[in-house]
Amino acid sequence: MLIKRSPDILPSEITDEKVYLSRRQFMRSTAALVAAGAVPSLISSQVQAKENSSRVAWASKIGSKLAEAKNSPFSTTDDPTPFDDILQYNNYYEFGTNKSDPYENSEDFEIQPWSIKVEGACNKPGTYHLEDLIKDSQLEERIYRLRCVEAWSMVVPWVGIPMATLLKKFEPTMNAKYVAFETVYRPDQMPGQKSLFSSIDWPYREGLRIDEAMHPLTLAVVGLYGKILPNQNGAPIRLMVPWKYGFKSIKSIVAIRFVEKEPYTTWNNIAPNEYGFYANVNPTVDHPRWSQKSERRLPGGLFGPKRIDTQMFNGYAEQVASLYSGMDLKVNY
Ligand code: MTE
């Protein structure tokens, strides 16, 4: 960015059965470990041994819920990107602008305690502990395509709750036409926020129209591959809007505002001609500096990058195209 199939098939049917069952088994046994206090198993992988006490505390709070996550009919049948790639190739400018920076620099980021301030056009504004917002909800695993505006893509098994389930708790009023989200501002733990060369006016901000935010595909994510969300992927809670370019899916959310007018959004403010408010994945509207017709699916193959055609609305047109009927998508990019 620098200025620089058929959804009725369950993941259990599409993932190699042995792999899938052993993963479910793993998740169930990790739940037992959580109960026994052996939580680090939930938060480490081949590459990620980057734990801190706040991650252990958070894992002990939601580990058993993660283990009970149900499959979703919205999951794609595309092969999921390996965990290690999802952990080490990130965009999270608060931790640096190189793809490996978030993995390298987010080890000490504290995710407990975590609260979210809710303001604006709703009947239940206030400051809420994250665990209280999640505790009564059934978590779901959703395997979604993630298409970055930079023309790379991944397939990620997120775990979360529908954003609509979360937002309805605050009882938005008729004046809530948009929802604005804000990432935590913590320069002592986020080196990118201290950088003198950053073009971003921190904190990172994003927003959606209320019908987009309430759409059944829009997810509030708290986990990945059955584990608590890694810091570099937006722990402890992030947005995931699978039909939009990745920059809309804001990480580490601390504020939600229900507003009447289109809110300020970070990349749109930096370069409005390059990054629209809508940012729907659209192979027919190129970025001014590169084509959006195809994408590089991560990881690459043995013989080089894997290039695939980009799909309208990232392959979710059947579910979301009606949200934009009558709109000129070349104008509202
Ligand atoms: N959220 C914040 N707060 N800061 C960021 O820099 N980058 C965005 C989005 N959310 C970003 C962010 C971009 S450009 C992308 S492509 C996705 O996060 C990447 O998510 P991932 O690192 O989990 O793959």
Side-chain angles (χ1 to χ4, degrees):
M1 320 241 327
L2 262 190
I3 290 191
K4 138 183 165 146
R5 176 198 90 124
S6 174
D8 54 353
I9 293 185
L10 292 168
S12 53
E13 297 168 75
I14 57 174
T15 311
D16 174 270
E17 199 181 15
K18 272 198 218 106
V19 174
Y20 185 81
L21 289 175
S22 65
R23 193 164 66 74
R24 294 305 284 186
Q25 182 69 45
F26 165 77
M27 287 166 77
R28 251 178 246 122
S29 56
T30 46
L33 286 172
V34 168
V39 282
S41 58
L42 263 176
I43 52 179
S44 59
S45 77
Q46 299 90 309
V47 294
Q48 196 206 25
K50 299 190 169 180
E51 295 160 14
N52 64 41
S53 56
S54 78
R55 288 186 59 75
V56 175
W58 180 230
S60 69
K61 282 183 185 160
I62 69 153
S64 51
K65 286 197 73 67
L66 282 168
E68 287 158 13
K70 67 171 189 191
N71 301 329
S72 165
F74 290 127
S75 287
T76 171
T77 56
D78 292 8
D79 288 338
T81 302
F83 193 33
D84 294 356
D85 295 293
I86 298 172
L87 295 181
Q88 295 182 92
Y89 191 93
N90 300 98
N91 274 338
Y92 199 168
Y93 278 28
E94 285 83 341
F95 293 107
T97 54
N98 294 321
K99 294 289 182 271
S100 59
D101 285 345
Y103 170 70
E104 280 159 17
N105 297 333
S106 64
E107 186 176 355
D108 297 328
F109 183 58
E110 303 267 338
I111 59 168
Q112 279 290 297
W114 194 270
S115 54
I116 299 184
K117 196 158 85 176
V118 180
E119 295 175 329
C122 67
N123 292 324
K124 297 198 165 162
T127 300
Y128 296 84
H129 286 300
L130 179 56
E131 54 269 36
D132 294 336
L133 294 174
I134 303 293
K135 68 177 181 218
D136 300 325
S137 304
Q138 166 75 57
L139 294 183
E140 292 177 37
E141 182 186 70
R142 300 241 186 130
I143 307 173
Y144 279 165
R145 289 177 286 272
L146 165 65
R147 169 60 155 83
C148 180
V149 73
E150 298 163 341
W152 55 264
S153 67
M154 294 190 189
V155 179
V156 185
W158 304 109
V159 182
I161 62 171
M163 184 55 84
T165 306
L166 182 68
L167 297 182
K168 280 177 191 162
K169 289 179 195 284
F170 314 125
E171 298 180 7
T173 66
M174 294 302 285
N175 293 331
K177 308 278 191 242
Y178 294 86
V179 191
F181 300 92
E182 205 171 288
T183 293
V184 69
Y185 179 66
R186 218 185 266 167
D188 52 327
Q189 291 176 13
M190 300 176 126
Q193 290 180 335
K194 280 193 295 210
S195 166
L196 298 174
F197 304 104
S198 174
S199 47
I200 295 181
D201 175 20
W202 307 106
Y204 192 99
R205 281 160 280 175
E206 257 309 331
L208 297 171
R209 242 171 36 193
I210 189 86
D211 56 343
E212 297 177 317
M214 293 287 194
H215 190 277
L217 281 177
T218 306
L219 204 60
V221 171
V222 294
L224 195 167
Y225 262 115
K227 305 169 198 294
I228 62 168
L229 200 57
N231 288 347
Q232 59 271 38
N233 296 96
I237 183 166
R238 73 175 295 173
L239 173 68
M240 184 45 58
V241 199
W243 70 93
K244 291 179 179 284
Y245 291 122
F247 69 87
K248 296 296 288 182
S249 292
I250 184 172
K251 298 177 171 182
S252 307
I253 296 169
V254 290
I256 297 177
R257 265 179 219 102
F258 296 98
V259 295
E260 218 170 336
K261 299 217 165 72
E262 187 179 293
Y264 174 105
T265 57
T266 292
W267 282 102
N268 179 243
N269 186 262
I270 292 171
N273 60 324
E274 301 193 8
Y275 309 105
F277 173 79
Y278 282 93
N280 292 318
V281 175
N282 188 342
T284 70
V285 177
D286 285 338
H287 185 279
R289 291 182 283 131
W290 59 83
S291 163
Q292 294 292 25
K293 288 186 183 53
S294 70
E295 64 204 55
R296 185 168 53 91
R297 177 60 59 85
L298 296 172
L302 267 183
F303 304 104
K306 191 172 157 197
R307 277 228 89 87
I308 58 173
D309 287 344
T310 290
Q311 302 179 68
M312 188 67 203
F313 294 113
N314 204 21
Y316 300 96
E318 204 182 314
Q319 292 98 328
V320 303
S322 62
L323 291 173
Y324 311 101
S325 56
M327 277 176 70
D328 184 343
L329 299 179
K330 289 196 161 59
V331 176
N332 297 286
Y333 51 91

